[in-house]
Amino acid sequence: MILITGATGNLGKATINSLLNKGIPANNIAALVRDESKSDEFKSKGIQVRLGDYQNFESLTSAFKDVDKLLLISSSSEIVHRFEQHKNVIDAAKETGVSHIVYTSFAMKDLRRSSMVEDVQYHAETSDYLKQLAIPYTLMANTMYADMIPMLSGNNILEVGVSIPAGEGKVPFLPIQEMAEALAVVLTTAGHQDKEYVIAADTAFSFAEIAELISDILDKRVTYKQPEVDAYIAQFVQNGFSEEDAAYLARYTQAIAKGEFGTNKSDVKDLLGRSPISLKDFLGTILSK
Ligand SMILES: NC(=O)c1ccc[n+]([C@@H]2O[C@H](COP(=O)([O-])OP(=O)(O)OC[C@H]3O[C@@H](n4cnc5c(N)ncnc54)[C@H](OP(=O)(O)O)[C@@H]3O)[C@@H](O)[C@H]2O)c1
């Protein structure tokens, strides 16, 4: 049995679909869900639904019965709670005899020395904890989602252009769908125990280069503007984000500007047995929607 946590989220859903597309029978897949009202689509596909909350250890030990491989998708709860929640999942997996844990970490040059260390160090803490616990693990260091580019760029690319204070920093953005496929490979094939993979594109792009790609796609000049950080935050707040969430996004832009996402390594081609979709082709598909 393969259990997917964060099953109701973007990456969890995409991973379950990738497993089904690989021919894994639905009754060999379990979805960890904390809100039963979100479980209908899994039940209708024949996927087992296990109720559990990262915050509640007992709910996890009962949810993980008979689970062989477990994908721990990092929590979207408040950052201060994330490591403690991940520790609950890992401890419950150990107690119930899970034989392999796959964890979605984050691809930055150095999580512990990042300019946004307080936002990302839980990934390093979770990875270290997993290694200490002596359950076979695989760390998937995911880069930033390519799917977030329109939102990070101010969500109004067609009229305003790409608007983000990210300097000339580059990110090897990769679509969620490709990350999900890489996860499905690791969950269904041998040879991934105690390995760390970088899940990122081969090529990193700056937002100036992204504006050029979009100009080519739309056959229209799309400019790259760098608002002041305060103006960037204010624009998100005006669009309904909380101050806290807007400031969090702005910290990403500053880390990008400092070049913290250039990892110069990618294991995606080896895992997928093909090159991932290019950023230009991916942006073409999402901008045509
Ligand atoms: N690499 C990147 O660019 C990037 C971008 C955004 C986020 N992330 C990280 O990657 C993770 C996956 O991304 P995503 O887009 O799939 O996120 P998402 O759509 O927000 O999904 C998060 C999932 O975590 C579940 N969850 C949150 N707190 C939980 C708890 N206490 N107990 C059990 N489940 C809990 C949510 O359940 P509910 O449906 O019940 O809320 C949801 O299924 C995020 O959680 C975040 O840590 C990475």
Side-chain angles (χ1 to χ4, degrees):
M1 176 72 65
I2 301 172
L3 180 133
I4 309 297
T5 75
T8 52
N10 300 306
L11 184 58
K13 271 190 196 167
T15 305
I16 289 177
N17 287 333
S18 293
L19 290 170
L20 292 171
N21 290 339
K22 280 189 168 303
I24 303 300
N27 62 1
N28 282 358
I29 304 173
L32 185 82
V33 170
R34 61 175 165 165
D35 172 357
E36 200 170 6
S37 70
K38 293 188 181 177
S39 61
D40 290 355
E41 77 169 272
F42 301 120
K43 286 181 184 160
S44 67
K45 288 179 179 163
I47 291 162
Q48 291 201 20
V49 171
R50 306 279 180 97
L51 289 179
D53 190 312
Y54 293 163
Q55 204 69 49
N56 178 340
F57 182 76
E58 281 71 33
S59 73
L60 299 172
T61 49
S62 65
F64 296 167
K65 292 217 168 70
D66 311 323
V67 170
D68 179 32
K69 294 186 186 181
L70 183 147
L71 170 60
L72 168 53
I73 291 188
S74 59
S75 174
S76 56
S77 299
E78 254 184 277
I79 300 234
V80 288
H81 298 305
R82 292 189 186 181
F83 173 58
E84 156 203 353
Q85 293 186 348
H86 295 169
K87 194 169 167 297
N88 277 341
V89 173
I90 295 165
D91 288 342
K94 179 149 177 122
E95 193 168 305
T96 48
V98 169
S99 68
H100 184 183
I101 300 181
V102 180
Y103 173 64
T104 59
S105 179
F106 198 38
M108 292 184 90
K109 271 185 185 151
D110 190 339
L111 290 165
R112 291 190 196 273
R113 289 194 191 161
S114 165
S115 58
M116 50 187 304
V117 60
E118 289 185 6
D119 298 306
V120 296
Q121 67 185 349
Y122 71 90
H123 285 298
E125 289 163 356
T126 304
S127 301
D128 287 350
Y129 190 71
L130 252 180
K131 290 179 188 173
Q132 275 167 30
L133 216 66
I135 302 183
Y137 64 84
T138 308
L139 299 178
M140 308 289 277
N142 288 348
T143 187
M144 292 181 77
Y145 300 160
D147 313 64
M148 298 201 325
I149 289 174
M151 188 269 286
L152 287 170
S153 304
N155 246 340
N156 201 2
I157 293 174
L158 300 189
E159 279 95 50
V160 181
V162 169
S163 173
I164 172 170
E168 296 307 313
K170 298 192 181 207
V171 182
F173 286 106
L174 192 74
I176 291 175
Q177 181 55 41
E178 300 287 35
M179 295 184 184
E181 290 195 19
L183 283 167
V185 168
V186 167
L187 289 165
T188 55
T189 57
H192 306 296
Q193 295 196 347
D194 301 340
K195 300 237 168 99
E196 303 187 32
Y197 295 123
V198 176
I199 306 302
D202 280 333
T203 311
F205 287 87
S206 68
F207 276 87
E209 290 167 332
I210 288 171
E212 280 171 27
L213 292 181
I214 297 174
S215 301
D216 279 356
I217 293 164
L218 301 177
D219 200 15
K220 166 186 172 197
R221 186 166 148 64
V222 170
T223 56
Y224 170 44
K225 298 186 193 73
Q226 295 191 62
E228 294 293 328
V229 173
D230 286 349
Y232 184 75
I233 293 174
Q235 179 193 324
F236 277 93
V237 171
Q238 210 176 359
N239 290 334
F241 281 62
S242 67
E243 286 274 354
E244 200 185 329
D245 288 346
Y248 175 65
L249 286 182
R251 291 198 289 281
Y252 274 94
T253 70
Q254 298 306 281
I256 294 171
K258 292 187 174 110
E260 295 185 29
F261 288 92
T263 50
N264 293 325
K265 186 178 181 280
S266 170
D267 295 300
V268 176
K269 208 194 270 182
D270 285 346
L271 287 172
L272 299 185
R274 61 169 172 84
S275 293
I277 186 172
S278 71
L279 186 61
K280 186 171 177 184
D281 287 348
F282 176 72
L283 290 172
T285 60
I286 57 172
L287 292 173
S288 67
K289 279 180 189 159

